[in-house]
Amino acid sequence: MQDQIKALFTQSIQTQIATAEVLGDAIVNAAELLTQSVLSGRRVFACGEGQASVVTQEFAHLMLHGQKLERPPFPVIGLPCVGSSDGACDTYARHILALGQAQDVLLVASTDATAAQVSKAMEAALSRGMLIVALTGDSDTDVAGLLGPDDVEIRIPSYEPNRISEQLLFVVHSLCDLIEQQVFPQEVSE
């Protein structure tokens, strides 16, 4: 069993190293887009599918309550998904259609190859003129195809959902750190 535990740590570390090597620019671009949104009074909506829904709820929580600073809340809405009677979940899309405005940002996350709920939310966001930050993995086949030239994709270099989830959580914490540093540079001590 000790060898299995060491193998899991090794897989996680290797994924983190690969992520750090290829995603620095994408993380900076996403942080800048989200910071511009916050500073211009635009809202950020966050939703995820499967394991990734926990990651987007963590992002919304940190943006509302602060990660390192006691500060005013940022206008971020973590979207809940409550299935409809036919089993399909279009709640994310319905929230976006009801509340989303041009230049708002939709942050989506998915660890799986297909993400029907997130894809519907992205289509709704596109219809409203919103920008998108997508947190994905290498197995993604739905989300990446909906992104435009002004959107940002942070694609974790892994096909393993658990390794992707671990890195997405790290990315979300990094984004919140970077946003707080940009909005309140005088408050953040290095």
Side-chain angles (χ1 to χ4, degrees):
M1 180 117 41
Q2 290 293 328
D3 289 341
Q4 292 170 326
I5 292 169
K6 286 179 184 177
L8 290 171
F9 273 102
T10 300
Q11 289 172 4
S12 181
I13 291 166
Q14 289 172 341
T15 303
Q16 189 164 21
I17 290 169
T19 301
E21 289 175 357
V22 298
L23 290 179
D25 288 342
I27 293 170
V28 167
N29 292 340
E32 288 174 351
L33 176 65
L34 291 163
T35 301
Q36 285 178 329
S37 177
V38 167
L39 290 175
S40 66
R42 294 291 179 201
R43 291 172 294 191
V44 177
F45 298 87
C47 64
E49 194 148 346
Q51 293 178 14
S53 64
V54 174
V55 171
T56 58
Q57 293 305 308
E58 172 75 354
F59 173 78
H61 174 78
L62 292 173
M63 293 292 283
L64 284 173
H65 298 283
Q67 178 160 289
K68 291 184 177 180
L69 303 175
E70 284 193 39
R71 57 163 173 78
F74 294 145
V76 176
I77 302 167
L79 299 177
C81 184
V82 180
S84 63
S85 59
D86 65 358
C89 183
D90 65 351
T91 304
Y92 295 156
R94 294 179 71 76
H95 273 98
I96 297 299
L97 291 172
L99 301 171
Q101 297 177 7
Q103 300 303 304
D104 282 347
V105 177
L106 174 64
L107 181 133
V108 297
S110 175
T111 60
D112 300 319
T114 58
Q117 298 167 32
V118 164
S119 294
K120 287 179 187 178
M122 291 174 70
E123 289 168 358
L126 292 171
S127 75
R128 305 298 270 168
M130 295 171 61
L131 300 167
I132 299 171
V133 173
L135 311 175
T136 65
D138 277 342
S139 61
D140 175 79
T141 56
D142 284 352
V143 173
L146 293 170
L147 296 172
D150 295 327
D151 300 326
V152 179
E153 181 180 25
I154 299 174
R155 181 180 286 264
I156 304 302
S158 177
Y159 290 93
E160 172 58 43
N162 292 332
R163 302 297 78 83
I164 296 167
S165 289
E166 292 165 359
Q167 295 311 304
L168 292 183
L169 187 59
F170 181 84
V171 166
V172 160
H173 287 162
S174 298
L175 288 172
C176 292
D177 272 350
L178 293 169
I179 294 164
E180 283 186 348
Q181 289 173 19
Q182 290 180 20
V183 175
F184 299 105
Q186 69 282 2
E187 303 280 332
V188 180
S189 61
E190 305 268 355

